[in-house]
Amino acid sequence: MASSYTTLCLILILSQSLPSSSSSQETSFLDQKPTAYEILGDYNFPKGMLPKGVVGYSLDTTTGRFSAFLNGSCSFSLEGSYQLSYKSSVNGYISQGRLSRLEGVSVKVFFMWVDIVEVLRNGDDLEFSVGIAGAGFPIDNFEECPQCGCGLNCGGAKRKASKIRSNPFVSSS
């Protein structure tokens, strides 16, 4: 009787120490790195802040320093009012509701390109700063990720009209 009890205990101990196929799948699922779009959500920003096609990112959670990497530079128009340009690497600092010291994102204002240097979340609006001027937009304008080359109007599909105004970057903030 003692022998069978000892055998049973050994089987239980061994079965607990050996990884089962379901627990290793759960572990690998939990170990997956979130996407750059999911990281934006963690900091209270919509995924449409970045265009489709981000191939990687880095984030230092202690300082907030981040980089998002695209497969080359990217530009597109939004609603016929704005031309945006992303370099192959977008860098800056991220914290709850704030992207600061941005590098790699530009908007065309009249005839010149200016860098977007900061984005703040203010309730249901996003406020973009180009240094001396800024503009605010409803956050629901950024629910979808734009696509390089065609923005939100790709493949002949027109996006429903949004609340993007013609160039508000001309007024100072």
Side-chain angles (χ1 to χ4, degrees):
M1 190 86 171
S3 171
S4 59
Y5 177 74
T6 305
T7 306
L8 180 61
C9 286
L10 280 173
I11 291 172
L12 287 173
I13 290 170
L14 287 174
S15 68
Q16 294 300 316
S17 64
L18 294 174
S20 70
S21 62
S22 66
S23 68
S24 66
Q25 288 174 343
E26 290 169 7
T27 302
S28 65
F29 173 74
L30 294 174
D31 290 342
Q32 287 181 346
K33 183 178 176 181
T35 67
Y37 307 104
E38 291 168 332
I39 294 295
L40 283 173
D42 290 346
Y43 287 91
N44 210 18
F45 284 103
K47 66 181 181 179
M49 297 284 299
L50 289 171
K52 289 181 182 176
V54 171
V55 295
Y57 72 92
S58 66
L59 172 65
D60 181 339
T61 56
T62 58
T63 64
R65 177 83 175 143
F66 78 90
S67 296
F69 308 106
L70 300 168
N71 193 14
S73 61
C74 173
S75 61
F76 51 87
S77 279
L78 288 178
E79 306 295 327
S81 298
Y82 293 97
Q83 288 184 311
L84 290 170
S85 177
Y86 288 75
K87 292 184 177 176
S88 60
S89 176
V90 175
N91 308 295
Y93 289 83
I94 191 167
S95 58
Q96 279 299 317
R98 183 175 185 199
L99 294 166
S100 60
R101 295 169 38 188
L102 282 172
E103 299 172 349
V105 183
S106 302
V107 61
K108 191 171 186 180
V109 178
F110 296 113
F111 301 108
M112 58 194 259
W113 288 93
V114 291
D115 294 332
I116 296 174
V117 295
E118 185 174 58
V119 182
L120 296 173
R121 168 105 189 231
N122 186 5
D124 288 337
D125 291 324
L126 292 175
E127 297 175 5
F128 293 80
S129 173
V130 294
I132 60 169
F137 301 98
I139 199 161
D140 57 353
N141 286 345
F142 300 91
E143 290 174 352
E144 294 178 52
C145 295
Q147 186 171 324
C148 297
C150 56
L152 297 170
N153 297 320
C154 302
K158 278 220 138 205
R159 185 173 173 243
K160 66 179 183 176
S162 67
K163 300 173 191 165
I164 292 181
R165 319 180 273 274
S166 64
N167 220 329
F169 279 106
V170 294
S171 64
S172 61
S173 48

